[in-house]
Amino acid sequence: MTALAHPSLALVKYWGKVDGGINLPATTSIAITLAGPTTTTVARAGEADRLTVDGVVVDAERVRPILSAVRAAGDARGPAAVVVDSRNSFPTAAGLASSASGMAAYATAVAALHGLDTTDLVNLSRLARLGSGSASRSVFGGFTRWDAGADHARQIAPPEWWPELRVVILPVSVAAKEISSREAMNATRATSPYYAEWVADAPTLADEGEQAVARRDLERLGEVTRLSYLRMFATMLGANPPIVYWLPNSVAIQHEVARLRRAGIAAWETMDAGPQVKVLTTANDAPRIVEEMRHLCATEPIVCPAGAGVRLER
Ligand code: PMV
């Protein structure tokens, strides 16, 4: 079974988990599933459970909850062991949301191999979430919402809803990050004095973000996107020890984006658990952003419209 999935870029961020289940979010997130960057995952019966990412055998600890849940729900004649090979068309674990597309593709390929109904996207979203929270959103295409405390995400608008919208990914570094989003979230929650305020403020931003998507109001969505990521990083800077993902070129891009915006270009940036910057813009303005920012990037910028959810290739 082969499953394909794309990253889910949060415009309003999930940062922090609540107690109870696995990867249940403290904050509601609003996200866009990106066309272009793709994880392709092949699952087949094997001798022993094994997972490779880009050809390298990795510790399967992260996917074990998905595999256990699939085995519990699946066809009793499912394979005794599964071999899964996953490939990303973009750098892994560097804050380009490889965990979102990776876990969504993993859950879907393994669910299919065990005879589960892969047209049940809510169930796939629940399974994907067990590997990585943001993967619950990658299951769906277009624009998504994942409510605080919810065990699955949902679609709020299909990819076709906003054809002229673009996200420009600016890869500042291809090095793997030093601290995972999971560790960073837990440390923020445990040690940052700003964490409670972040959680208290989050519902308002999520609702404003969703309304801006519904109105296709890019300026408002851009403003909300900036507020959300900068407040998220404020909680991390308040952690002990402080968590700092930004590199000099991340900050240079933040300033360059502001300069372009003042010059009338549609450009609002966001960042995740890594040094990369992603810029929300239009199809019209995306080439200008690529031209202006290329010299600050480690690899070529990637321009992405909204994309499809997870799908199977047989
Ligand atoms: O689900 P994870 O562990 O990949 O964490 C995602 C965290 C952020 O990317 C920073 C925010 C988000 O909502 O995707």
Side-chain angles (χ1 to χ4, degrees):
M1 293 293 172
T2 302
L4 279 73
H6 302 301
S8 166
L9 175 70
L11 304 174
V12 177
K13 305 296 183 186
Y14 147 55
W15 193 255
K17 304 177 202 293
V18 294
D19 291 330
I22 300 175
N23 294 339
L24 293 175
T27 61
T28 298
S29 50
I30 303 290
I32 171 171
T33 303
L34 302 177
T38 306
T39 301
T40 305
T41 299
V42 182
R44 59 182 196 281
E47 299 277 291
D49 289 340
R50 199 191 60 166
L51 172 64
T52 69
V53 176
D54 293 330
V56 178
V57 177
V58 297
D59 177 11
E61 188 246 325
R62 249 185 112 189
V63 296
R64 208 152 287 138
I66 302 179
L67 194 52
S68 303
V70 167
R71 282 182 171 147
D75 194 322
R77 290 162 302 166
V82 289
V83 172
V84 180
D85 297 305
S86 187
R87 291 199 173 269
N88 291 316
S89 70
F90 55 96
T92 302
L96 282 184
S98 59
S99 67
S101 53
M103 295 297 162
Y106 180 94
T108 304
V110 169
L113 188 66
H114 288 76
L116 297 191
D117 174 9
T118 52
T119 63
D120 182 350
L121 296 184
V122 166
N123 192 42
L124 287 184
S125 177
R126 278 193 195 108
L127 290 169
R129 192 205 83 241
L130 299 174
S132 156
S134 52
S136 68
R137 302 183 312 236
S138 271
V139 165
F140 300 94
F143 300 84
T144 59
R145 178 175 175 125
W146 181 28
D147 282 309
D151 69 357
H152 65 89
R154 60 192 164 86
Q155 187 182 63
I156 55 174
E160 312 75 62
W161 171 246
W162 205 337
E164 64 279 14
L165 190 73
R166 292 292 180 277
V167 170
V168 182
I169 300 175
L170 300 169
V172 165
S173 165
V174 291
K177 57 191 169 196
E178 281 167 17
I179 168 164
S180 70
S181 53
R182 175 175 308 203
E183 289 170 85
M185 274 185 211
N186 290 341
T188 305
R189 178 181 171 187
T191 65
S192 178
Y194 310 137
Y195 180 74
E197 279 78 6
W198 154 254
V199 171
D201 175 64
T204 312
L205 276 189
D207 290 343
E208 286 190 25
E210 181 170 1
Q211 286 157 18
V213 170
R215 293 195 309 270
R216 285 187 286 246
D217 180 345
L218 184 55
E219 185 162 2
R220 186 62 194 138
L221 185 60
E223 287 166 359
V224 168
T225 295
R226 291 191 71 238
L227 285 175
S228 179
Y229 95 91
L230 288 164
R231 287 177 183 173
M232 174 181 79
F233 280 104
T235 68
M236 283 187 236
L237 294 177
N240 184 10
I243 299 160
V244 186
Y245 282 113
W246 300 358
L247 289 176
N249 278 359
S250 320
V251 179
I253 290 171
Q254 291 171 333
H255 288 270
E256 287 295 289
V257 168
R259 180 179 64 78
L260 289 180
R261 199 164 53 244
R262 283 194 298 273
I265 305 288
W268 293 267
E269 84 285 3
T270 185
M271 295 178 66
D272 293 285
Q276 329 303 354
V277 188
K278 297 99 181 187
V279 180
L280 199 58
T281 185
T282 60
N284 205 31
D285 286 346
R288 173 84 187 271
I289 292 168
V290 170
E291 279 315 303
E292 300 265 350
M293 304 295 169
R294 182 178 273 134
H295 71 287
L296 296 167
C297 295
T299 57
E300 184 62 16
I302 309 167
V303 179
C304 313
V310 77
R311 60 211 176 273
L312 278 170
E313 260 176 14
R314 278 162 218 277

